[in-house]
Amino acid sequence: MGQATVNVTPPNVQAEKVSGPWRDAWKAFRKNKTAMLGLCIILFFVLIALLAPFIAPYGYKEQELVNRLKPPSAAHWFGTDDLGRDLFTRILYGARISLWVGFFSVIGSIVVGTFLGVLAGFYGKWIDMLISRMFDILLAFPSILLAIAIVAILGPSLQNALYAIAIVNIPTYGRLVRAKVLSLKSEEYITAARAIGMKNSRILLTHILPNSLTPIIVQGTLGIATAIIEAAALGFLGLGAQPPDPEWGKMLSDSRQFIQKAPWTVIFPGLSIMLTVLGFNLMGDGLRDVLDPRMKN
């Protein structure tokens, strides 16, 4: 007779679920209520930006001078501006501009700053001194004043405002990456990689950059909020988006003379900026709590 196979695995032992650092981070992030609130706010504005052509009841350039400065109503949910344009429609399209500037200016800052920070931290010597002094020079100027100077040289436009915001934020990411690379260089696994003859380029791509992502992600999320504020400031000064583009900062600038007569023309663009920045700040704080080992118990 054949012998029956005996299952030696205890019945109360279950197979371990597949886990990893990013999966664990997402689980911890979901437990942070304020971070999830921030994520929901961001997703809301991203959604209305994507669906603006389908949601907007009017064209953002459409003028009805007979309906100038009308208060919120069933026909115009957020009221109208001094040219009779529907504010609700312009807020929807303004989300596209603000998020576009925020995301792409931060991406540009991260790419250039990470490249320079890796060079400075990994190779050191005169390269480190040259790049670090360049960062110091950029950081010596207040960011908004430097952005104003760059846009004044390039010319007022939304694209030039994006370039200016990206340039002034490069040192933030560059110094952050440089500090991280300097700490990673002394790790034993980097020494072992060099001992077995691994090339510097491979060490950078397989060991240094992957282990430098955490602070970049956190700072990048917070940096989008800063970029949106800077874009609004440039727009308010007339150096960002130009008419008739519905940029929130420009909308505030155009409406400041109607604050007492038509306060809704200022309230709704201001609330949009505040809520968007709040969302990125809340999510950024949540990511820092989850990804930064110093914040864990």
Side-chain angles (χ1 to χ4, degrees):
M1 294 179 59
Q3 294 182 351
T5 302
V6 180
N7 185 4
V8 296
T9 304
N12 59 340
V13 176
Q14 298 180 353
E16 289 188 9
K17 294 182 179 180
V18 178
S19 184
W22 293 109
R23 186 186 296 271
D24 294 339
W26 169 243
K27 290 180 180 179
F29 182 84
R30 286 188 301 177
K31 295 178 181 178
N32 190 322
K33 294 182 180 179
T34 57
M36 289 301 295
L37 174 61
L39 178 61
C40 291
I41 294 174
I42 294 170
L43 291 178
F44 171 75
F45 278 98
V46 170
L47 188 63
I48 66 172
L50 293 175
L51 299 179
F54 306 99
I55 301 175
Y58 304 93
Y60 71 87
K61 299 180 183 179
E62 188 176 336
Q63 300 181 13
E64 296 179 1
L65 296 180
V66 294
N67 290 324
R68 295 177 67 249
L69 301 176
K70 292 293 183 180
S73 63
H76 301 281
W77 291 358
F78 290 177
T80 61
D81 63 7
D82 59 312
L83 295 177
R85 295 173 297 192
D86 183 63
L87 275 179
F88 177 69
T89 298
R90 292 180 63 79
I91 291 293
L92 293 179
Y93 279 94
R96 286 186 157 195
I97 295 177
S98 294
L99 292 176
W100 180 76
V101 172
F103 279 116
F104 284 98
S105 63
V106 167
I107 289 173
S109 299
I110 288 176
V111 171
V112 178
T114 299
F115 176 74
L116 295 176
V118 167
L119 288 181
F122 191 78
Y123 292 101
K125 299 181 180 179
W126 66 270
I127 297 178
D128 185 17
M129 183 184 68
L130 179 64
I131 294 176
S132 296
R133 295 298 78 79
M134 183 181 67
F135 288 163
D136 292 339
I137 292 172
L138 290 175
L139 290 171
F141 298 93
S143 59
I144 188 63
L145 293 182
L146 182 57
I148 291 172
I150 294 173
V151 175
I153 294 171
L154 298 178
S157 72
L158 182 63
Q159 187 173 7
N160 291 338
L162 187 152
Y163 293 151
I165 294 169
I167 290 171
V168 300
N169 288 306
I170 286 174
T172 302
Y173 300 97
R175 297 183 73 177
L176 183 68
V177 173
R178 175 184 174 273
K180 187 66 176 179
V181 171
L182 287 174
S183 66
L184 291 173
K185 280 174 60 177
S186 59
E187 295 291 337
E188 294 181 357
Y189 63 89
I190 300 296
T191 305
R194 284 175 169 169
I196 63 175
M198 186 178 292
K199 295 181 179 179
N200 286 339
S201 58
R202 188 176 177 187
I203 293 175
L204 287 172
L205 292 175
T206 60
H207 296 298
I208 299 295
L209 283 179
N211 287 289
S212 302
L213 287 178
T214 296
I216 295 175
I217 292 173
V218 174
Q219 185 59 42
T221 305
L222 296 171
I224 293 175
T226 303
I228 290 174
I229 293 177
E230 291 173 344
L234 291 174
F236 186 86
L237 297 173
L239 298 174
Q242 300 299 304
D245 291 340
E247 198 274 324
W248 291 337
K250 181 62 177 173
M251 292 170 66
L252 286 175
S253 176
D254 294 340
S255 304
R256 66 183 185 274
Q257 57 184 317
F258 307 112
I259 292 179
Q260 293 183 340
K261 182 179 179 181
W264 57 87
T265 59
V266 176
I267 291 173
F268 291 112
L271 279 176
S272 300
I273 296 173
M274 185 271 290
L275 288 174
T276 307
V277 172
L278 176 64
F280 280 105
N281 283 335
L282 291 177
M283 192 176 79
D285 289 340
L287 287 174
R288 182 186 57 192
D289 295 342
V290 169
L291 299 177
D292 191 344
R294 294 173 297 179
M295 304 298 294
K296 297 179 181 179
N297 294 327

